[in-house]
Amino acid sequence: MSDATLHDTQPDPDDFAVQIADQVESFIVAVTEVAKGDEPGSAIPYLLLEVSQLLLAGGRLGAHEDIVPDERYEADAGPEPDDVDELRERFAQLLDPADVYSEVFDPYVPRSEPVACRISDDLADIITDLRHGMAHYRAGRVTEALWWWQFSYFSNWGPTASAALRALQSLLAHIRTESPLDELDGLDTDTVAASDDGSLEEEAGRVMAQEIAAPLGMRTARR
């Protein structure tokens, strides 16, 4: 394997590469297993944990100096896996009806309007990015893999994972504390999310408990 261009902050480049690759592979394997739906009652907590752990790897990549690839042009990583759409659909079914959430794409853009996103899309997109880098890593192109993971962390999977994490944490918090949600009707990825007027409907809370917490096998907070 080729050595990554890593200097002062990491005395052993191979160890850094192996650790990042292990975290990436662990996320891919774990989240793919969750998508099978064998343990729906644990899906949201598991996803929260896995995305959190992945962002730790992303933080290490982001805090590191720029990784410079060996070649000017990216080597062919081979065909992309053809199961991404299937994973996306499984996540959507597993998370329905709380798959769609609102997110501000860039918090540094003044007066940004929130947009509707899907956790299922986020997870599928993250896995696609991570697999691309893993293909380079397994082919022995360690520097290329690290460059791709770092680059795509800033450009795609990092912001996507951060948004998904906030959505998963909020969802789990609403379920555990029995905090009612606004009606989800009308919030979709084809529309702009309506601004929050501060009102939380009691009926929406009951819908949350009945349609999300119960099917997922999660206990709500005691009164």
Side-chain angles (χ1 to χ4, degrees):
M1 291 184 177
S2 60
D3 289 336
T5 307
L6 307 169
H7 304 297
D8 298 337
T9 58
Q10 186 62 245
D12 190 338
D14 289 334
D15 283 348
F16 178 82
V18 169
Q19 291 166 11
I20 296 297
D22 284 348
Q23 288 180 285
V24 167
E25 185 170 28
S26 176
F27 176 85
I28 294 172
V29 171
V31 175
T32 301
E33 284 297 311
V34 172
K36 294 179 180 179
D38 295 336
E39 298 183 25
S42 302
I44 293 175
Y46 275 148
L47 290 174
L48 179 70
L49 177 61
E50 293 300 329
V51 174
S52 297
Q53 292 178 333
L54 177 66
L55 283 170
L56 174 59
R60 295 181 66 191
L61 287 165
H64 205 283
E65 64 182 12
D66 288 347
I67 298 171
V68 181
D70 295 326
E71 303 294 335
R72 181 176 180 182
Y73 299 102
E74 182 183 5
D76 185 3
E80 299 289 344
D82 58 5
D83 64 339
V84 175
D85 288 338
E86 180 182 352
L87 284 172
R88 193 188 313 274
E89 292 174 2
R90 286 182 176 180
F91 287 133
Q93 293 173 2
L94 189 62
L95 296 167
D96 182 66
D99 189 25
V100 181
Y101 68 98
S102 61
E103 169 67 7
V104 175
F105 182 71
D106 188 339
Y108 282 98
V109 175
R111 296 176 295 279
S112 295
E113 291 292 332
V115 297
C117 305
R118 290 183 181 274
I119 301 175
S120 56
D121 288 342
D122 293 345
L123 294 172
D125 290 347
I126 293 167
I127 288 177
T128 297
D129 275 348
L130 298 181
R131 282 176 169 176
H132 186 86
M134 185 59 71
H136 286 306
Y137 184 82
R138 289 172 175 166
R141 297 185 291 271
V142 177
T143 306
E144 192 74 39
L146 289 173
W147 170 82
W148 171 258
W149 285 327
Q150 185 186 59
F151 168 76
S152 56
Y153 167 74
F154 286 121
S155 63
N156 189 45
W157 73 259
T160 301
S162 297
L165 179 65
R166 288 193 294 274
L168 289 165
Q169 192 277 337
S170 178
L171 177 59
L172 193 58
H174 278 290
I175 293 172
R176 293 282 173 83
T177 62
E178 284 192 338
S179 300
L181 290 177
D182 286 324
E183 289 284 359
L184 299 178
D185 292 341
L187 177 59
D188 202 348
T189 52
D190 293 331
T191 60
V192 177
S195 58
D196 184 7
D197 61 3
S199 64
L200 296 174
E201 300 295 336
E202 182 178 353
E203 179 60 25
R206 290 197 291 268
V207 171
M208 183 74 178
Q210 294 171 4
E211 297 188 6
I212 300 175
L216 290 178
M218 301 183 65
R219 294 178 296 178
T220 55
R222 294 181 180 178
R223 294 187 182 280

